[in-house]
Amino acid sequence: MTAVVRSVVTGAGGYLPPDVVTNAELALTVDTSDAWIVERTGIQSRRRAAPDQATSDLAVQAALMALDRAGRGVGDVDMIIVATTTPDLTFPATAAIVQRKLGAPIGIAFDVQAVCSGFVYAMSVADSFIVRGVSKCALVIGAETMTRLMDWSDRGTCVLFGDGAGAVVLEPSEGEGLTSDRGVLGFSLRADGAKQDLLYVDGGPSTTGTVGKLRMQGNQVFRHAVVNISEAVLAAARNAGVAPSEVDWFIPHQANQRILEGVAKRLGIDGGRVISTVSEHANTSAASIPLALSVAIEDGRIRPGQLLLFEAMGGGLTWGAVVVRL
Ligand code: ACO
């Protein structure tokens, strides 16, 4: 047994903007149907941020809930990492805007851009800072206003995404170097920039000077998702020293119910251990995992001490997985 520092999730929170957009409403403006969307994706509705709500506003609400559940105050926070692909502004980082809006003290604040894998990447980055003693109380937030990136005439994408934010508080705690320790036990991260064309936004400050719209070859992304995610999950589990069969709760990025089920089946994870919020949240990109975590802690399914497995895939392509004991 070796004493090690672990990054422990001491609180989780989530926020969804109040405006619910149903499939039937989308079918009024684009050639689709509730039946098609539900059958192909499992999505029944999604939330849309109000015109005056920025990504940072969603992030602040989720962060306050996470801090409250952790029994921490804004004054304790020494690092804020926001995983987002829909920042308020090109700069400053949304994390710095969140710091200002929270009134958090001077500390570290930056964004992580790995699209839907952003939260998995951000958790891994935060873990490294905590293990090195750089941060004692970190906010790791996934926050998105994906509806702002939609081409509302493209039925292949506009039905899939929604807005929201989720956050966790990470704090150091001494572990024994065993898989029974609380905290981040292992992770694996991947990127394949050669597959950019499958999923990207067609604008940016140094190319078009515009924000751009999301473009996706959905069936190609789908094909890559199940195989690649499974490999990354197995690598993260190996890294953590656990087997997927030991995991209490599998919390995937919420892109498509068929992908969730396909990955779980491939890994031999029983469907009853998969947290799914895709029907009501749709794909909230980097926000989807912490939002699902927050929901399942609140409804009592996820309890302290349980072994959790997060996984995601997104634009880049990027993908990865994190193993955490709550
Ligand atoms: N309503 C009705 N028909 C539609 C819709 C719609 N909303 N969207 C597409 N179709 C049609 C297509 O036009 C096509 O019609 P055609 O055969 O006449 O050409 C037909 O449905 C089949 O299209 P596919 O794209 O092959 O359908 P598929 O079963 O693959 O489902 C979907 C599409 C839901 C997008 C699926 O491929 C998917 O979920 N892909 C993965 C998305 C994802 O996980 N993204 C990663 C994360 S996102 C991020 O990182 C930002």
Side-chain angles (χ1 to χ4, degrees):
M1 285 191 299
T2 325
V4 294
V5 176
R6 300 286 197 188
S7 314
V8 176
V9 175
T10 55
Y15 174 78
L16 290 163
D19 184 16
V20 177
V21 182
T22 63
N23 293 343
E25 280 174 81
L26 291 178
L28 296 174
T29 55
V30 72
D31 182 15
T32 190
S33 65
D34 177 56
W36 191 95
I37 301 170
V38 171
E39 187 201 317
R40 299 293 182 105
T41 72
I43 298 167
Q44 296 185 340
S45 62
R46 70 285 296 140
R47 301 297 182 98
R48 183 167 49 201
D52 63 351
Q53 273 184 314
T55 294
S56 62
D57 296 314
L58 277 49
V60 162
Q61 294 307 318
L64 287 172
M65 185 188 283
L67 284 168
D68 185 53
R69 288 187 178 159
R72 294 287 173 202
V74 164
D76 297 319
V77 175
D78 58 16
M79 180 167 79
I80 302 173
I81 303 179
V82 175
T84 188
T85 198
T86 46
D88 289 21
L89 301 168
T90 302
F91 78 79
T94 302
I97 299 173
V98 169
Q99 182 197 34
R100 169 174 59 79
K101 289 184 175 175
L102 283 174
I106 290 175
I108 301 168
F110 62 96
D111 290 355
V112 165
Q113 161 56 302
V115 202
C116 297
S117 315
F119 185 74
V120 164
Y121 268 66
M123 280 288 287
S124 312
V125 173
D127 176 54
S128 305
F129 277 70
I130 286 180
V131 166
R132 291 182 71 86
V134 175
S135 169
K136 301 279 181 233
C137 182
L139 268 173
V140 184
I141 307 170
E144 302 278 17
T145 46
M146 292 303 284
T147 61
R148 307 267 160 84
L149 292 180
M150 292 301 112
D151 171 352
W152 292 103
S153 66
D154 177 10
R155 67 179 181 172
T157 54
C158 74
V159 304
L160 303 175
F161 293 89
D163 301 335
V168 297
V169 176
L170 277 185
E171 298 181 58
S173 170
E174 198 165 288
E176 296 179 326
L178 303 173
T179 59
S180 54
D181 289 349
R182 291 185 69 202
V184 175
L185 300 180
F187 58 82
S188 68
L189 303 176
R190 306 273 186 272
D192 181 1
K195 298 202 171 61
Q196 172 183 325
D197 288 353
L198 301 187
L199 177 55
Y200 65 102
V201 166
D202 64 3
S206 73
T207 50
T208 59
T210 62
V211 170
K213 298 294 177 200
L214 185 143
R215 307 294 172 200
M216 177 166 70
Q217 297 175 39
N219 47 11
Q220 295 292 320
V221 175
F222 196 105
R223 218 162 51 79
H224 283 280
V226 177
V227 176
N228 288 337
I229 291 171
S230 302
E231 183 279 324
V233 165
L234 290 172
R238 257 196 320 276
N239 184 244
V242 301
S245 57
E246 294 175 59
V247 169
D248 291 300
W249 292 105
F250 180 53
I251 311 175
H253 166 50
Q254 308 284 320
N256 182 316
Q257 185 63 30
R258 285 158 54 213
I259 299 180
L260 269 63
E261 287 168 4
V263 175
K265 193 170 165 207
R266 206 179 164 94
L267 294 167
I269 294 175
D270 172 67
R273 290 190 286 134
V274 180
I275 304 291
S276 175
T277 55
V278 72
S279 68
E280 289 172 7
H281 296 182
N283 181 346
T284 58
S285 189
S288 87
I289 292 174
L291 253 174
L293 174 69
S294 172
V295 165
I297 290 176
E298 193 162 1
D299 69 22
R301 273 178 293 173
I302 295 183
R303 295 187 305 279
Q306 290 185 324
L307 190 64
L308 314 180
L309 203 158
F310 306 151
E311 60 81 353
M313 162 169 262
L317 295 179
T318 55
W319 63 101
V322 181
V323 177
V324 181
R325 190 175 294 285
L326 195 64

